[in-house]
Amino acid sequence: MDTIQVSKSMRPMTGAQAVAEAMRQINPDVVAMYPITPQTPIIETFAKIVADGRASTEIIRVESEHSAMSATVGAAAAGARAMTATAANGLALMDEIVYIAASMRLPIVMPIANRALSGPINIHCDHSDTMNVRDSGWIQIYSETAQEAYEQMFLALKLAEHKDVLLPAMVCQDGFVTSHGVENVKIHDDETMKKFIGEYKPEYALLDVDNPVTYGPLQLQDYYFETKKQQVDAMKNAKRIFLEIGKELSQITGHDYGYFEKYEMDDAEAVLIAMNSTAGNIKAVVDKMRKEGKKVGMMKLRLFRPFPYEEIAEALKDVPVVGVFDRAESFGARPPLYGEIRNALFDLDKKPDMQSFVFGLGGRDIFSHQIEDAFNMLLDGKMTDETKYIGCRGC
Amino acid sequence: MKEITEIRIHGRGGQGAKTAAQFIVETAIKDGKFIQAFPEYGPERTGAPMKTYARISDSVIKTHEPVAEPDIVMVIDPTLLDVVDVTEGMKKDSILIVNTTDEPEKVKERTGFSGKVYTVDATGVSIDLIGKNMPNTPILGALAKVCKHVTLEGLSENVRHKFLSKIGEEKTNANIEAMKRAYNEVKG
């Protein structure tokens, strides 16, 4: 990223605006809309785009997120390219239909501006909303910057619609930090992006009356189990095809879309793992500490569902100490990302030492000096079996 | 020299501190800079003290944390000097720009900040030229005087680009004139 030059085509945009631009280029047939902070500027910007005649999408204004996802499911089953967007309690309210969308194998793409779930009521960033639906059968892609959130919309769409996948996908960005923060964003050429996603030809459309299908039938002891197993297989395919589509997208954008990004990890004695915008904060600290001769690195996880267990184990096998930064809790259990990473490392003969960190719940700021303290804790071998709560009073 | 210039703007909800940060980075991006602009995310209430941040750099800006040690602090509302510590995190070589009729020496006394202080009567300029109390545009003229990353020409061009279709030729020119006068009248 260091070598990137600012080009004339870069514009100051928020993550929300960047995602709305992706939606303009995708021009979905249907978008169901219901506002919720901090997602609202996504649909607000896109509604303006449609009102200005720059996209021909049919907008459905609904009365709740439960209805937003229901309308999106209906449109997608009919054979439309359908989207909605949400955050936090909106995602929780649509949870029932989120799970159904995956089981109906509808390739819906839903941008998320990650926000803390109530309660107590809070509008700021953490990842409790998307972690709450991590077992819903949706592909989950996380974004460090507005640029990544924009580009990964196309990756998500093409992956979701692939005939061997047919699963819904959420593209996550940090609420406020990314959704409302203005950064340099390069919007790629309209025609190139339209060509990349191609014309949508749904595999099974209710409106294709020559090839009738049934969506959402009752499946009891007879077929429910097989349907679930097919979702399992589709996720396996999604993991493989993610890399193929990522490579194709790289040729347009010049950016890489691996399961994760390795930053200064080659000779690292301590590595921190994070998702979304905090990966950038950690990179800045890695740069500073590397200048001081400290061998630290970072792994930014892009794909959380399906989870790349084997590849993570391979990437971390020679790292002495790994710290995991979770921006969500799993009450009574280990934090979600830490749990997955620990699971991934189980098969290694020589396992790295590990430390769990939880930070930033409810939008609590994370500062460089706190990340530096975390790195120093790992370098000094002061790991504990307990989760460390960064910046939390009384911890 | 420090790679990134970090700016903090103090205002009250509704005074255009967010717009000012947006203007700064829009101008900088046209000059080929990497930028960031974001408010301190809290409850947004008209009249309540609030902060916005901007970063400008020649290379990719990786961090997303709030600006803790600003190089430049701009205070849009002079009454904030008695309400919040506008000098928090400022270093000896940081710059403080305040919208006030006071002399820089007076601001130094009030804030206890011993570094470079500039003052400009952005409120007076805006009432005089724009016809209402909108100090956030003129104070940017003062910023252009002291910050190498932002030029008066760039700001003027951006104001013209953004305002012309919305408020017309006359009011757009008044805003540009206000920035120019603040640029010329800044004390310090």
Side-chain angles (χ1 to χ4, degrees), chain B residues 107-140:
Chain B
V107 170
K108 281 186 189 179
E109 275 171 38
R110 281 178 76 181
T111 59
F113 178 64
S114 57
K116 278 185 196 160
V117 176
Y118 297 89
T119 62
V120 63
D121 180 17
T123 299
V125 169
S126 86
I127 289 171
D128 198 12
L129 291 175
I130 305 170
K132 54 183 173 180
N133 185 4
M134 292 286 287
N136 65 330
T137 323
I139 202 171
L140 292 175

Side-chain angles (χ1 to χ4, degrees), chain A residues 176 182 184 263 281 287 368, chain B residues 33 35-37 62 64-65:
Chain A
F176 286 108
V182 178
N184 302 60
Y263 191 78
N281 300 34
D287 291 349
S368 296
Chain B
K33 304 290 181 184
I35 55 93
Q36 271 182 1
K62 292 168 186 161
H64 296 95
E65 73 195 288

Side-chain angles (χ1 to χ4, degrees), chain A residues 17-290:
Chain A
Q17 289 167 336
V19 161
E21 274 294 295
M23 291 169 74
R24 177 186 66 77
Q25 293 180 316
I26 292 166
N27 194 21
D29 300 305
V30 172
V31 172
M33 292 187 176
Y34 193 78
I36 185 167
T37 300
Q39 170 282 126
T40 304
I42 297 176
I43 55 161
E44 203 171 57
T45 309
F46 185 67
K48 186 172 189 306
I49 286 169
V50 173
D52 290 345
R54 297 166 67 221
S56 57
T57 301
E58 180 166 346
I59 291 174
I60 307 178
R61 285 170 294 175
V62 291
E63 72 282 11
S64 76
E65 286 87 357
H66 192 278
S67 300
M69 184 46 69
S70 299
T72 309
V73 161
R81 212 171 230 167
M83 293 184 180
T84 185
T86 195
N89 293 37
L91 183 54
L93 182 58
M94 63 169 67
D95 192 358
E96 178 193 14
I97 316 299
V98 164
Y99 201 86
I100 290 171
S103 74
M104 287 169 77
R105 308 290 300 279
L106 299 169
I108 295 164
V109 171
M110 175 162 64
I112 304 280
N114 283 107
R115 162 185 155 182
L117 283 173
S118 298
I121 192 162
N122 180 297
I123 59 166
H124 295 287
C125 176
D126 72 30
H127 301 164
S128 51
D129 52 0
T130 49
M131 286 300 138
N132 194 43
V133 292
R134 65 190 185 273
D135 293 337
S136 64
W138 282 57
I139 294 162
Q140 288 195 344
I141 303 172
Y142 287 80
S143 320
E144 178 189 337
T145 60
Q147 185 72 38
E148 276 196 350
Y150 161 71
E151 288 171 1
Q152 288 175 173
M153 285 288 287
F154 298 93
L155 176 53
L157 185 87
K158 196 157 181 168
L159 179 60
E161 290 177 357
H162 192 287
K163 67 176 175 46
D164 295 332
V165 178
L166 293 179
L167 288 173
M170 42 189 89
V171 180
C172 309
Q173 59 175 291
D174 278 345
F176 286 108
V177 181
T178 310
S179 67
H180 288 57
V182 178
E183 302 177 349
N184 302 60
V185 175
K186 184 182 178 190
I187 300 299
H188 302 294
D189 173 60
D190 282 4
E191 285 314 309
T192 308
M193 299 321 290
K194 282 181 195 302
K195 202 174 152 203
F196 173 77
I197 57 167
E199 193 186 333
Y200 181 46
K201 296 192 191 78
E203 290 287 318
Y204 309 100
L206 284 175
L207 291 181
D208 179 4
V209 290
D210 295 330
N211 298 291
V213 290
T214 301
Y215 271 97
L218 186 69
Q219 291 183 338
L220 300 176
Q221 301 94 325
D222 53 358
Y223 273 107
Y224 181 92
F225 204 162
E226 283 73 22
T227 300
K228 292 295 120 182
K229 177 59 169 53
Q230 287 177 351
Q231 286 178 246
V232 171
D233 295 340
M235 270 290 182
K236 279 187 185 156
N237 292 343
K239 193 184 151 200
R240 171 173 52 82
I241 294 162
F242 178 89
L243 291 184
E244 292 170 15
I245 294 173
K247 271 187 193 134
E248 203 186 321
L249 184 58
S250 291
Q251 288 171 359
I252 297 170
T253 65
H255 300 141
D256 290 327
Y257 307 93
Y259 298 136
F260 43 80
E261 178 187 344
K262 294 197 284 181
Y263 191 78
E264 301 280 0
M265 270 178 58
D266 284 350
D267 61 344
E269 289 163 7
V271 164
L272 285 177
I273 306 179
M275 302 196 295
N276 274 8
S277 70
T278 309
N281 300 34
I282 299 175
K283 282 178 182 175
V285 174
V286 168
D287 291 349
K288 176 181 180 281
M289 293 181 77
R290 282 271 168 183

Side-chain angles (χ1 to χ4, degrees), chain B residues 9-84:
Chain B
I9 305 172
H10 293 269
R12 289 181 182 275
Q15 284 181 330
K18 198 178 158 200
T19 309
Q22 180 91 12
F23 257 99
I24 293 166
V25 300
E26 280 172 356
T27 305
I29 205 171
K30 285 188 182 132
D31 291 331
K33 304 290 181 184
F34 284 93
I35 55 93
Q36 271 182 1
F38 53 101
E40 180 191 52
Y41 302 112
E44 289 170 24
R45 295 156 298 168
T46 302
M50 55 90 70
K51 293 181 258 188
T52 61
Y53 306 105
R55 288 191 171 96
I56 307 171
S57 173
D58 289 322
S59 56
V60 175
I61 302 167
K62 292 168 186 161
T63 191
H64 296 95
E65 73 195 288
V67 171
E69 296 182 345
D71 301 294
I72 299 171
V73 171
M74 285 208 301
V75 181
I76 294 179
D77 188 323
T79 66
L80 287 172
L81 293 181
D82 301 322
V83 182
V84 294

